[in-house]
Amino acid sequence: MKKISFYAMLVVMLVMLAACGQASDTNDSETASGTTETTPAASEQPAETDTTETDTTETDSSEGETRTVTYLGEEYTLPANVEKIVVTGAMEAMEDALVLDVPLTGAIEVGGEFPERYASITEGATSIGAKQEPNFETILSLKPDVILGTTKFKPEVVEQLKKIAPLIQVSHISTDWEANLNLMGELSGKQDEAAKVIEDYKAEAEAAKAELGTKLEGKNVMAIRIRGGEMYVYPQDVFFNPVLYTDLGLTVPDAVAAAKAQELITVEQFAEINPDYVFLQFADAENADKLTALEDIQNNPIIQKTNAFKDGHVYTNIIDPLSEGGPAWSRTNFLTAAVAELKK
C-alpha cells in the first residue's frame, strides 16, 4: 500500500510539473508577442521630425538677416529682403520708384492725395503726409524695412524717423540723380533696369547736343519755377539746370551762376536778365493762394518786352509741373520736350 501511495504521489507531482512548464511557455509566448506588437508602434514615432522642422525653419527664414547698402559714400544696414519702402519728403525717390516701377508701402501726398502720375506705384500705398510733414505714427504702423527721406529734413525729424526704421536721406541735388536711381535699383533688385535708364539718357543727351550744334550759342536759356505767385531760379546743379547747362552745354546765365539755393527774382530782375528762351513751371498745388499768378506774369507789360516773350520762346509746363527737375523721370522727359522746342 505504501508503494502504491508513493507512486500515486509521484504521478501527481509529474503532472503538476508538466502543467507549470506549459504555463511558463505560454507567458514567454505572450511576452514575445507583446514585444512584437510594440516594436512597430515605436518605429512609427517620427523621432527626427522635430529636428528637421527646426532646421528647415532656420534655413528658410531670413528674419534678422541684414545687408549693407552704400549710397553717396555712406553705408546703411538694411534687412536682407527690402519689401516695404516708405518715401517721405523725397519726391526724387518717388520719381525713381516711378521710373523703375517699384510699388511703395507709404508715399507722399500732394494736396491731400497721390498725384495721378504716381498711380502705378501708389495703388496699394498709404499716405504718410505731405512733402515736409511726415506722419510719424502712420509710418510706424507700416513697419517699413527702409525709409527714404530727404536731405532737406530738419535734424529733429531725422532723429524721429531713425527711431522707426533705417533711414536714407535722398539727395535733392540734381547731379546726384544717377546715385539716387541706382539706390532705388539696389533696394528693389532692379539694378540692371536702372543702369539701362542711365545709359539711354546719356546717349540721348549726346545726340541732342550734337543736333542743336551752335544754334543757341550766346543765347540766354533759363528754367523758372513759379511758387506762391513768385518766380524762382535755382543753382546750376538743381532743378532742370543740369540738363540745360551740363548735358546740352548751354551758357549758364549770371543769375543762375550766382544762385546759392532757390532764389526769388522780381519782374524787374527778370527784365534785366532778358532771357532768350524760358521754361516756366507752374503747378496749382504750389500756388493755391495765387492761382492767377501765371497769367499775371505772362500779361505783365514789363515781362512782355523781354526777348523770350517777344519771340514766342516761352514754354510752360512742357512736362508735369510737379516734376522735381533733377531725377531720372524729370530729366529724361524734360530733355526730350525741351530739345523739341529749342531746335525749332
Side-chain angles (χ1 to χ4, degrees), residues 128-193:
I128 51 75
K131 185 175 179 179
Q132 295 296 335
E133 300 173 355
N135 186 314
F136 301 113
E137 291 183 3
T138 300
I139 296 173
L140 178 62
S141 71
L142 295 176
K143 299 180 180 180
D145 295 316
V146 64
I147 299 171
L148 299 180
T150 176
T151 46
K152 295 180 180 180
F153 273 153
K154 295 179 180 179
E156 55 267 30
V157 175
V158 170
E159 289 307 310
Q160 285 278 60
L161 292 173
K162 284 183 176 179
K163 293 177 182 178
I164 299 174
L167 171 68
I168 300 178
Q169 290 178 264
V170 177
S171 173
H172 68 284
I173 303 300
S174 296
T175 49
D176 290 329
W177 75 280
E178 291 182 52
N180 290 354
L181 188 64
N182 283 327
L183 171 64
M184 185 62 72
E186 176 72 20
L187 296 179
S188 62
K190 294 188 174 185
Q191 298 95 322
D192 291 344
E193 289 92 329

Side-chain angles (χ1 to χ4, degrees), residues 82 108 190 239 258 275 296 328 332:
V82 173
I108 303 166
K190 294 188 174 185
F239 197 39
D296 293 342
T332 54

Side-chain angles (χ1 to χ4, degrees), residues 185-207:
E186 176 72 20
L187 296 179
S188 62
K190 294 188 174 185
Q191 298 95 322
D192 291 344
E193 289 92 329
K196 185 67 165 55
V197 170
I198 294 170
E199 180 184 358
D200 289 349
Y201 172 79
K202 289 183 176 180
E204 183 180 351
E206 282 296 322

Side-chain angles (χ1 to χ4, degrees), residues 241-287:
N241 291 342
V243 179
L244 296 173
Y245 310 126
T246 301
D247 300 336
L248 294 180
L250 304 181
T251 303
V252 182
D254 292 340
V256 172
K260 302 301 181 183
Q262 176 177 277
E263 301 278 355
L264 184 149
I265 59 171
T266 64
V267 169
E268 289 73 22
Q269 289 173 321
F270 181 88
E272 185 178 349
I273 296 169
N274 193 22
D276 297 293
Y277 295 82
V278 174
F279 294 96
L280 284 178
Q281 187 175 2
F282 177 89
D284 289 348
E286 296 180 331
N287 297 273

